[in-house]
C-alpha cells in the first residue's frame, strides 16, 4: 500500500487525493474557505444586477382606522 501523500510536499496531489478519498471533508473545507469571499461578493453582485430586497413581512395585523363596534349575540347566557 502506498503512503498517503503529504500536503506540504505536493499540495495539488494531496488535494486531488483528498477529493477522491474524503469527498465530504474535502468539499466542506472548500465551501468553508470560499464563504468569506461569497459574503463580500454576493451583496455587491445583487446590487449591480438590479435585485432589490423584498419588503419586510409585517409582524402584527393592521387595525382599521375606525371606531370598533362591540359584538352582539355571542353571550354565554
Amino acid at each position: 500500500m502506498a503512503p498517503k501523500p503529504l500536503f506540504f510536499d505536493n499540495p495539488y496531489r494531496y488535494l486531488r487525493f483528498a477529493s477522491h478519498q474524503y469527498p465530504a471533508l474535502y468539499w466542506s473545507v472548500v465551501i468553508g474557505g470560499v464563504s468569506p469571499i461569497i459574503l463580500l461578493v454576493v451583496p455587491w453582485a445583487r446590487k449591480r444586477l438590479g435585485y432589490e430586497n423584498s419588503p419586510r413581512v409585517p409582524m402584527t395585523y393592521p387595525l382599521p382606522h375606525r371606531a370598533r363596534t362591540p359584538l352582539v349575540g355571542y353571550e354565554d347566557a
Side-chain angles (χ1 to χ4, degrees):
M1 184 166 99
K4 292 182 182 179
L6 298 174
F7 179 75
F8 294 110
D9 292 340
N10 195 347
Y12 178 74
R13 184 175 174 199
Y14 181 77
L15 291 175
R16 188 175 59 182
F17 164 78
S19 68
H20 290 284
Q21 294 299 318
Y22 310 107
L25 181 63
Y26 173 78
W27 286 110
S28 298
V29 171
V30 169
I31 291 170
V34 173
S35 61
I37 297 168
I38 290 173
L39 287 173
L40 296 174
V41 171
V42 168
W44 175 82
R46 287 186 70 213
K47 189 185 301 182
R48 179 93 179 198
L49 294 173
Y51 287 101
E52 296 179 4
N53 291 337
S54 59
R56 295 185 60 90
V57 177
M59 300 301 284
T60 60
Y61 186 78
L63 295 175
H65 298 291
R66 59 179 166 78
R68 301 179 84 182
T69 58
L71 295 176
V72 178
Y74 294 102
E75 289 78 31
D76 289 337

